[in-house]
Amino acid sequence: MTTFKKTLWEDIEPGRVFQTGSITLNAADIRVFAEKFDPQPYHLDRDVAESSLFGGLCASGWHVSALMMKLVSDKLASEQIPLVGSGRVAWLEWYRPAFDGDCLSAHVNITNKSTSVDATDHGLIECKITVHNQNDKKVMALSTFLMIENERAAHD
């Protein structure tokens, strides 16, 4: 049996980049998310959405943010990087809507790393993340601090 070594916080260097897999949006998922968390008419009703400033049924920005976290979490897991959680988001911007049928992927650039002042089981990596659609158009971007397991936690 092959055992994979975890890539811990100490092993990660700023400048490392990742490209995630992709997720395709569909109308049913857009509506389900919107009904529960962001019930705006342009997320729920195609006819209303087509006459809105967005011009079509589009996902909530919070839905896109949740999908981005799924993409990033899956990529880190595939790289054997133990994600403990997300510390904070320094900034977030939405650039364009994500529509029914759009295929989203994320580019992660690790820009910095630091120790956590309130925990000993993880360190922080600062990441600039951009989400693009299938036409390589930027949908959203953010700067976030992800909590990554460190050597101390791995040995406890």
Side-chain angles (χ1 to χ4, degrees):
M1 181 170 131
T2 303
T3 305
F4 294 101
K5 183 182 181 303
K6 290 181 188 177
T7 300
L8 300 172
W9 175 81
E10 290 83 357
D11 303 318
I12 298 172
E13 294 300 325
R16 188 168 180 181
V17 297
F18 299 100
Q19 183 65 39
T20 70
S22 61
I23 293 177
T24 301
L25 285 165
N26 66 59
D29 289 342
I30 289 170
R31 286 187 186 103
V32 166
F33 186 95
E35 285 170 359
K36 290 183 178 183
F37 305 111
D38 193 2
Q40 305 303 316
Y42 37 82
H43 302 319
L44 295 168
D45 184 304
R46 187 176 301 278
D47 293 333
V48 171
E50 287 175 0
S51 63
S52 76
L53 67 107
F54 299 112
L57 187 69
C58 59
S60 165
W62 299 114
H63 187 179
V64 174
S65 298
L67 292 172
M68 175 277 308
M69 196 67 214
K70 169 72 170 146
L71 290 166
V72 171
S73 296
D74 287 352
K75 181 60 179 177
L76 293 178
S78 77
E79 297 284 331
Q80 301 297 314
I81 298 173
L83 177 64
V84 176
S86 184
R88 69 181 171 98
V89 173
W91 56 266
L92 178 139
E93 296 179 17
W94 291 292
Y95 295 98
R96 63 182 28 83
F99 295 104
D100 174 23
D102 278 356
C103 184
L104 305 178
S105 62
H107 180 83
V108 181
N109 182 4
I110 299 172
T111 57
N112 200 2
K113 73 185 228 183
S114 58
T115 57
S116 178
V117 295
D118 59 352
T120 59
D121 64 341
H122 66 269
L124 300 171
I125 58 170
E126 183 177 359
C127 301
K128 181 177 181 193
I129 302 172
T130 55
V131 176
H132 293 86
N133 65 21
Q134 69 280 359
N135 299 316
D136 203 32
K137 299 289 185 182
K138 192 182 328 184
V139 173
M140 69 172 277
L142 71 152
S143 176
T144 188
F145 292 79
L146 300 177
M147 299 182 291
I148 305 298
E149 184 179 307
N150 64 19
E151 286 181 7
R152 182 173 177 173
H155 293 115
D156 285 346

